[in-house]
Amino acid sequence: MSRPRTERGRLALVLVLAVAVTVFTATVPLLRDWFDLRVYYGTVDAWAHHGGRIYDYLVPGTTYGFTYPPFAAVGMLPMAVLGWHAAVVVALLLNLVALAVVLRVLAGPEWRRYGWYGWSLAACALALFEPLRDTFSFGQVNVLLLALVLGDCLLLATGRGRWAGAGIGLAAAIKLTPAVFIGLLLLARRWRAAAVATAVAIGATALAAWADPGASRFYWTKALWDTSRVGRLDYVSNQSLQGVLARLGEPGRPFWAAAVLLVLCVWAWRVHRAVEAEDWIAAFALTGLTACLISPITWVHHLVWLLPSFAVLVRAGHARVAGVLYALMCTSVVWLWFEDAGGIDGFLGSNTYTWITLGLLLGLPTGQSRDALPLLPRSASTSAPAPSPAAPAMTPVSGQSDSPS
């Protein structure tokens, strides 16, 4: 099917897609009812207003409570002055702003050229992406952390690296997974950025320890090592290497440690090549993939860290591959094995997103020019001018939550 060539045709296509996406998201996906936001809100409310302890609060009727480092609770303290509905609105707005930052970084310097049509198509596609749907529906912080980390990516890629690392350090203080990006800075020999990231992470952690010494002591000595506080390792939403092993009935640490070590070796080799080519988007994408694989628990909504990988594929001219993989991650296919992940079909199907993550880690192109291919369709206002009567027309050829519900 050819692309619409008129503004009216483009508007009609966007409206049809928007209706289809709305119907899909309203009827097919599981709505998460802001579960994780309820954890954050209830924890902060109990801590600020009722003298409760951060890690004692549980959502009523569940066994799930706060699982992040204490600094995350400090950063969420402004919720203490908000009502519940206001907190939901603020969470949505923050996620939308963070998503805009992520898209700005991934689109590159020519982002304005994509116009309303290109960005409308992107919005429809993103609304279908299961990790992103779940992040918004849970009220999660994944996109905010991704925006902080990619902000450092932009600073390094544009040579404005004086404060590069601050976003990574802040993200690592809120949640431990982004600390892997400090390893990327060390591999890239960006010593200053690595030092800034480490200093920010330590400073934020120290601030939390000053604010609540007891909570910090409990987290770093007990809660951090107790994965049962987060959820079952074999739960189908856990799309990490540990999740695969747990569903196989092998939760032992030796096998997992060996798998993690192998993944880290592949990551170091691939990142080294990306950094040598000064392909920072690919380097950060590979690190996000690795973080998802080696974390003991990677719920489906954590996989927003795969978004940079799809951008890299499109820029490298592999739009069809990106489209197929992206479409698979819009289907919620892993939930078909929610009750039983046994057998060959269960092993392959229930771990679909893990296989995609592994495949991207092994095969993601590196060393591509940022301007090799447009990330989105160009708008009509930036297309070639209409031919004059003296020149014939030429048509260009287009190239879970941290508490499972």
Side-chain angles (χ1 to χ4, degrees), residues 316-333:
H318 303 294
R320 290 184 179 180
V321 175
V324 170
L325 297 180
Y326 190 92
L328 275 173
M329 296 195 67
C330 293
T331 60
S332 303
V333 63

Side-chain angles (χ1 to χ4, degrees), residues 81-394:
V81 299
L82 298 176
W84 166 246
H85 293 98
V88 171
V89 171
V90 170
L92 283 173
L93 291 176
L94 286 175
N95 273 325
L96 286 172
V97 171
L99 183 58
V101 172
V102 169
L103 293 177
R104 166 66 180 86
V105 175
L106 297 181
E110 51 182 28
W111 65 276
R112 290 186 182 88
R113 299 183 184 180
Y114 303 134
W116 72 268
Y117 177 60
W119 289 115
S120 297
L121 294 181
C124 290
L126 289 168
L128 296 175
F129 191 53
E130 185 180 1
L132 202 56
R133 293 196 318 253
D134 276 3
T135 289
F136 275 80
S137 187
F138 273 121
Q140 257 285 342
V141 298
N142 307 304
V143 181
L144 293 169
L145 300 181
L146 179 59
L148 285 171
V149 168
L150 286 183
D152 284 341
C153 176
L154 181 63
L155 292 175
L156 291 169
T158 55
R160 295 174 292 177
R162 182 177 181 182
W163 292 106
I168 291 173
L170 194 59
I174 295 171
K175 197 170 181 178
L176 296 180
T177 305
V180 180
F181 288 89
I182 299 178
L184 164 61
L185 298 176
L186 293 172
L187 282 174
R189 298 185 178 182
R190 294 301 179 115
W191 312 121
R192 179 188 176 90
V196 169
T198 304
V200 169
I202 292 175
T205 302
L207 174 64
W210 171 79
D212 194 332
S216 294
R217 188 182 309 111
F218 177 79
Y219 178 81
W220 295 108
T221 61
K222 294 182 180 179
L224 173 61
W225 315 103
D226 183 7
T227 56
S228 65
R229 288 178 54 87
V230 183
R232 292 189 351 250
L233 292 175
D234 64 345
Y235 187 56
V236 73
S237 182
N238 184 14
Q239 292 293 305
S240 68
L241 294 174
Q242 180 77 290
V244 175
L245 292 172
R247 284 186 286 277
L248 285 174
E250 180 51 65
R253 292 187 181 274
F255 285 96
W256 174 65
V260 166
L261 181 61
L262 181 60
V263 165
L264 287 174
C265 289
V266 173
W267 163 72
W269 168 60
R270 301 230 60 218
V271 160
H272 177 71
R273 297 185 62 182
V275 171
E276 277 192 331
E278 296 187 356
D279 190 350
W280 286 103
I281 290 290
F284 273 70
L286 290 165
T287 305
L289 296 169
T290 302
C292 291
L293 289 170
I294 67 175
S295 174
I297 291 182
T298 298
W299 301 134
V300 168
H301 57 76
H302 294 159
L303 296 175
V304 295
W305 292 98
L306 270 62
L307 284 175
S309 298
F310 292 113
V312 171
L313 283 174
V314 173
R315 287 189 177 282
H318 303 294
R320 290 184 179 180
V321 175
V324 170
L325 297 180
Y326 190 92
L328 275 173
M329 296 195 67
C330 293
T331 60
S332 303
V333 63
V334 297
W335 297 99
L336 294 175
W337 290 271
F338 172 73
E339 295 183 352
D340 182 13
I344 296 297
D345 65 317
F347 175 69
L348 297 176
S350 68
N351 301 308
T352 299
Y353 297 165
T354 309
W355 308 141
I356 291 174
T357 308
L358 273 171
L360 289 171
L361 177 65
L362 294 171
L364 195 70
T366 59
Q368 299 294 323
S369 168
R370 290 182 60 85
D371 300 319
L373 285 173
L375 191 61
L376 301 170
R378 300 284 178 83
S379 66
S381 61
T382 58
S383 58
S388 65
M394 300 293 290

